[in-house]
Amino acid sequence: MDSIDSCGASESCAADCRAAHVRDRYALPLRHPVVCIVGPTASGKTDVAQEVARRLGGSVVSADSMQIYRGMDIGTGKIPQDEREVVHYGIDICDPGEPYSAALFQDYARACFSRADACESWNVLAGGTGLYVRAAIDDYRFVRGEQVSNPVREHYTRCLEEHDAAWLWNLLNERDPESAALIHPHNTRRVIRAFEMIELEGTTYARQHAGFAQMEQFVPARFFGLAVDPGVLNERIEARVDGMVERGLVREVEQLCREGFIDALTAREAIGYKEIVAALQGSCTLDEAVEQIKTATRRYAKRQRTWWRKDERVRWIAADDGGISRMADEIVASL
């Protein structure tokens, strides 16, 4: 796994970040609160976050569980290298087949916060993955099983390979029906995590989930959400997916498959990749795959809206017009 400088930062900046991490894992309180910009996909978070960071003289930390993977550029909506006006962290951390977790991102993000704080700089956290944002900001204490690897995870991963997702979920339902009721049977990573919590920590996913809403904030932060009318957002998603295909999403997936990452790309959460893999394998046409990507993205955006609407810390900003400068003005003025 690459170190923090894999996201386009200078070597000296990355060295400072590593040093800060070693010196003080959570160097708090920060001089400036982390500016968290959240909301659904296609709401404009990436551009707004960069503009806010540019005005504040800070850097962006991407809290997106798919942008961490190298080579998965177009389908994850990464800002192109030649369009990055500030340093971006949280991008291209590891290969698609390499395990990663919210627990690792917590350490990573807080190291970035510490480095920026040591330089008296601002951090802007661009949040597409709610768990990653809350892991970075809130007092989320991960169990040992949520690190990269462990024997329990390896055991249940083999069970999954020998049987299927439904079999594994049914096994969890027999042992811990309360937790199983909270987890979709196809979300095998979370099903396996539930087993880890039972066997490694003597707790359950359900108990942890119940305490999540009451979790205290650990890192000083201000939350801004980009609110887009669902109809407008759906139109943006349509255009966004069409644009990804035009820019070479199919070629990107073909290249990743040639590099041996086909199993990683068919992971349930890799929207935009598993659908194209299916088309390349002849399971559907390309047009059908594109429609499936649009549908999956709309559903994901709805889940993101639901997630952040429950968080009372979020100050919502109208984003229907896509006015990046106006939204940045409003955010910076309120700090």
Side-chain angles (χ1 to χ4, degrees):
M1 185 178 299
D2 269 10
S3 55
I4 291 172
D5 62 334
S6 62
C7 306
S10 66
E11 289 294 334
S12 60
C13 188
D16 288 343
C17 194
R18 295 189 202 98
H21 196 184
V22 172
R23 182 174 61 254
D24 187 351
R25 188 182 179 197
Y26 306 141
L28 299 173
L30 302 177
R31 293 177 177 85
H32 305 296
V34 176
V35 182
C36 301
I37 299 177
V38 302
T41 188
S43 62
K45 295 186 302 295
T46 298
D47 291 335
V48 173
Q50 171 160 268
E51 180 61 14
V52 170
R54 186 187 67 79
R55 296 187 186 192
L56 295 175
S59 56
V60 172
V61 179
S62 170
D64 187 303
S65 63
M66 292 293 109
Q67 290 192 355
I68 64 172
Y69 294 114
R70 301 185 195 95
M72 295 174 64
D73 303 329
I74 297 173
T76 63
K78 291 176 189 172
I79 186 168
Q81 283 278 3
D82 59 359
E83 296 179 14
R84 297 179 194 176
E85 300 177 9
V86 300
V87 173
H88 281 70
Y89 295 108
I91 298 175
D92 297 337
I93 296 175
C94 56
D95 290 330
E98 190 173 350
Y100 201 78
S101 68
L104 290 175
F105 182 77
Q106 181 181 75
D107 285 348
Y108 177 94
R110 291 178 180 179
C112 292
F113 300 159
S114 297
R115 186 216 61 81
D117 185 64
C119 300
E120 299 189 15
S121 181
W122 288 77
N123 290 281
V124 178
L125 186 67
T129 303
L131 179 59
Y132 274 36
V133 175
R134 293 206 63 181
I137 301 300
D138 293 338
D139 194 17
Y140 198 111
R141 302 185 183 185
F142 290 92
V143 300
R144 291 192 300 273
E146 292 176 290
Q147 300 300 327
V148 170
S149 63
N150 56 68
V152 174
R153 175 172 296 177
E154 293 169 2
H155 168 72
Y156 287 104
T157 298
R158 288 194 299 271
C159 289
L160 175 62
E161 294 169 351
E162 294 171 1
H163 301 280
D164 58 25
W167 183 93
L168 192 66
W169 184 88
N170 285 330
L171 181 62
L172 176 64
N173 193 42
E174 292 175 5
R175 294 187 59 182
D176 182 7
E178 187 178 4
S179 294
L182 297 172
I183 303 173
H184 193 287
H186 291 167
N187 194 339
T188 55
R189 184 168 64 177
R190 193 161 294 175
V191 171
I192 292 173
R193 182 182 300 167
F195 283 115
E196 294 169 352
M197 297 177 74
I198 294 169
E199 299 186 19
L200 291 174
E201 295 295 322
T203 188
T204 69
Y205 176 86
R207 285 200 291 270
Q208 184 190 66
H209 187 272
F212 194 62
Q214 289 77 40
M215 196 170 297
E216 294 183 358
Q217 187 168 311
F218 186 69
V219 175
R222 296 282 304 278
F223 286 79
F224 299 90
L226 305 189
V228 184
D229 176 82
V232 174
L233 189 65
N234 287 342
E235 292 177 0
R236 289 190 191 174
I237 289 171
E238 292 270 336
R240 177 188 176 100
V241 175
D242 288 338
M244 288 176 174
V245 175
E246 292 173 3
R247 291 195 302 275
L249 177 60
V250 175
R251 292 192 300 274
E252 180 172 280
V253 176
E254 288 175 331
Q255 178 61 34
L256 289 164
C257 289
R258 285 194 293 270
E259 294 173 358
F261 296 127
I262 188 168
D263 290 335
L265 295 177
T266 53
R268 177 177 174 271
E269 59 266 40
I271 297 173
Y273 291 87
K274 58 187 177 65
E275 295 87 355
I276 298 298
V277 168
L280 294 175
Q281 293 177 333
S283 300
C284 63
T285 67
L286 178 58
D287 287 343
E288 289 170 337
V290 171
E291 288 305 312
Q292 290 169 9
I293 294 170
K294 292 177 180 178
T295 298
T297 305
R298 287 193 294 268
R299 290 172 177 168
Y300 179 54
K302 183 177 181 180
R303 293 195 299 272
Q304 288 174 308
R305 287 199 304 270
T306 300
W307 174 287
W308 290 115
R309 285 293 178 185
K310 295 177 181 178
D311 196 321
E312 297 180 353
R313 295 172 294 182
V314 179
R315 171 179 171 176
W316 291 96
I317 297 173
D320 285 354
D321 64 359
I324 305 303
S325 181
R326 175 190 58 77
M327 288 186 276
D329 283 343
E330 189 170 340
I331 292 170
V332 172
S334 69
L335 295 174

